[in-house]
Amino acid sequence: MTDRIVSAEVLVTSPGRNFVALKITTAGGVTGWGDATLNGRELAVASYLRDHVCPILVGRDPARIEDTWQYLYRGVYWRRGPVTMAAIGAVDLALWDIKGKVTGQPVYQLLGGAVRERILSYTHATGWDVPALLDAVDATRERGFQAIRVQTGVPGLESVYGVTPDGGTYEPAGRGTGPVEEVWDTDAYLRHVPGALAEVRAHAGPELALLHDAHHRLTPNQAARLGKALEPVDLFWLEDVTPAENQDVLRRVRAATTTPLAIGEVFTTIWEFQQLITEQLIDFVRAAVSHAGGITHLRRIAALAEVWQVRLAPHGPSDVSPVALAGATHLGLATPNFAIQEYMGYPDLTHEVFRHAWTYADGHLHPGDAPGLGVDVDEALAARFPYEPAYLPVARRRDGTLTDW
Ligand code: GCO
Ligand code: MG
């Protein structure tokens, strides 16, 4: 029997950090949850959903996930862009959640079932200087992680994105009415990083998977140099070397180095990944299941990537909510060319608001076997934490010019 959507509601909450969640309810009384969080631009997606998407979802058949995706993507003249795609992603996640609950199956079963027992995950270790970073790596390994993203401070700079002075956890966006400004010096970074990562490798031994994120701050030539310099470190990947808006330039980087490249947490459609994948300019697709149009679309990107032996490694910082992390773990369990899931972790309060069936143990994640995505949102608790303005920092070069992220 055909069910229909009776309501779609947006919930903005800040349990430790800001999240935007979408709740879709059917006439049959089934609810599904999606994640629409776009770090630092949360309210734009909330409005896009509330003002333009929720009203036209009412009355639709929740079982028609693909058709709804097409309706919200192709049916709208103004397609693409992170706000639109995050909104579509939230709807898609919520509809997969509903389909799972209606059929009594965890979503990974609906995607064809598990192709692996559990999924490899990585988290972040940071240290302002190299000794602190080595301590952080040791402490992270004690938590079971077999893959770790390592970032350090840079001599001469007062702050570096993603690295806290005390080596503790960081939140990508800082609370406040505007972005904090940092000073950035790519030359100083390039002088420091190869040696620092070599020390991590010498300390950790050959087996630990090491990852590093350059946050789009290099020119192609600098990226080529860095990739080459890091070859002895044997990285699992070097992430976001250039802004990659001009993808042709990556040919030069690829020609110069065999260090694996991961790109794409800011890309949200298969069309933005097309050249990266079909020219094998990258080894790993970094899109988030929420930002890239949900399970329906990220699965399609993964299928294209599979043809070119490029693997899926979804974005999973703390600004991708536990609902999207659930979506990513279901997809990861069922996708042959899935490689690794980022799991940065969340503030305790976040886990209390988003109660999830997915689990972390021994360096791996598992989505659990609850029907749907397996995340329940404690709406009463969520209501106690209203949105607080928070922004990612911006970086300027020493002469004051804004630099790429
Ligand atoms: C990563 C990231 C994040 C982003 C953040 C932006 O996890 O690889 O680069 O830390 O900077 O998610 O909102
Ligand atoms: Mg990144």
Side-chain angles (χ1 to χ4, degrees):
M1 210 191 69
T2 309
D3 200 356
R4 63 187 177 85
I5 294 170
V6 290
S7 73
E9 299 156 83
V10 178
L11 184 149
V12 182
T13 178
S14 193
R17 64 164 1 275
N18 290 319
F19 294 108
V20 180
L22 176 70
K23 179 187 177 187
I24 294 182
T25 306
T26 74
V30 183
T31 55
W33 286 99
D35 176 24
T37 311
L38 194 59
N39 207 13
R41 292 292 184 270
E42 293 86 357
L43 301 184
V45 191
S47 157
Y48 189 102
L49 282 167
R50 247 182 218 139
D51 299 331
H52 301 292
V53 175
C54 294
I56 60 173
L57 287 177
V58 173
R60 295 183 64 82
D61 178 356
R64 296 196 176 200
I65 299 177
E66 180 68 45
D67 185 59
T68 300
W69 197 96
Q70 300 287 331
Y71 183 66
L72 296 176
Y73 184 84
R74 286 185 206 280
V76 178
Y77 188 68
W78 307 107
R79 54 174 74 177
R80 299 188 296 274
V83 174
T84 299
M85 295 308 292
I88 296 176
V91 173
D92 189 77
L93 283 162
L95 294 183
W96 278 103
D97 194 20
I98 288 171
K99 195 179 280 293
K101 287 173 180 165
V102 167
T103 57
Q105 297 286 330
V107 166
Y108 76 83
Q109 292 290 8
L110 305 178
L111 299 174
V115 297
R116 50 181 61 84
E117 299 311 312
R118 52 190 191 157
I119 67 176
L120 181 65
S121 71
Y122 76 90
T123 198
H124 302 184
T126 68
W128 186 254
D129 55 23
V130 172
L133 177 59
L134 301 183
D135 289 347
V137 168
D138 290 343
T140 309
R141 283 183 111 172
E142 275 165 30
R143 291 164 56 211
F145 283 99
Q146 293 139 46
I148 305 179
R149 186 189 91 155
V150 286
Q151 309 289 129
T152 70
V154 173
L157 295 185
E158 276 174 23
S159 58
V160 170
Y161 174 70
V163 184
T164 49
D166 63 357
T169 54
Y170 77 97
E171 272 304 325
R175 289 191 173 175
T177 49
V180 164
E181 299 210 353
E182 296 177 341
V183 175
W184 176 249
D185 180 339
T186 303
D187 293 327
Y189 165 80
L190 288 172
R191 283 194 296 273
H192 178 65
V193 159
L197 295 193
E199 285 193 61
V200 175
R201 173 56 77 205
H203 175 80
E207 279 168 26
L208 182 69
L210 291 175
L211 301 78
H212 179 70
D213 195 339
H215 269 294
H216 312 109
R217 295 195 179 176
L218 311 179
T219 64
N221 193 45
Q222 289 168 332
R225 267 174 58 207
L226 181 61
K228 237 161 119 174
L230 289 174
E231 278 173 20
V233 177
D234 189 22
L235 285 184
F236 187 92
W237 79 41
L238 177 59
E239 179 177 345
D240 284 336
V241 281
T242 70
E245 282 154 327
N246 179 356
Q247 302 187 351
D248 284 349
V249 300
L250 290 164
R251 293 186 192 134
R252 177 188 177 94
V253 183
R254 289 302 251 185
T257 178
T258 54
T259 291
L261 300 181
I263 290 186
E265 67 188 37
V266 300
F267 294 152
T268 57
T269 69
I270 197 167
W271 295 279
E272 288 161 297
F273 279 105
Q274 185 177 358
Q275 183 183 4
L276 294 175
I277 291 170
T278 59
E279 288 194 33
Q280 287 178 313
L281 298 176
I282 56 172
D283 298 281
F284 300 95
V285 163
R286 289 290 285 129
V289 69
S290 46
H291 301 151
I295 289 174
T296 298
H297 196 59
L298 191 56
R299 189 155 70 132
R300 198 159 274 151
I301 297 173
L304 177 68
E306 188 179 15
V307 177
W308 300 94
Q309 289 178 284
V310 173
R311 294 193 289 160
L312 182 66
H315 195 208
S318 55
D319 47 286
V320 163
S321 96
V323 177
L325 198 78
T329 55
H330 283 279
L331 188 61
L333 202 69
T335 301
N337 63 323
F338 162 88
I340 195 166
Q341 175 61 48
E342 180 178 22
Y343 177 43
M344 185 177 164
Y346 299 101
D348 289 343
L349 215 45
T350 301
H351 292 284
E352 286 174 40
V353 166
F354 296 92
R355 289 177 309 215
H356 48 84
W358 57 258
T359 49
Y360 164 80
D362 192 24
H364 292 76
L365 291 159
H366 191 283
D369 280 299
L373 292 175
V375 184
D376 273 329
V377 181
D378 184 333
E379 292 176 70
L381 188 58
R384 287 175 36 200
F385 306 106
Y387 168 79
E388 291 183 37
Y391 291 91
L392 286 156
V394 297
R396 293 184 185 274
R397 296 185 203 123
R398 289 195 188 279
D399 72 354
T401 334
L402 265 168
T403 192
D404 280 309
W405 241 97

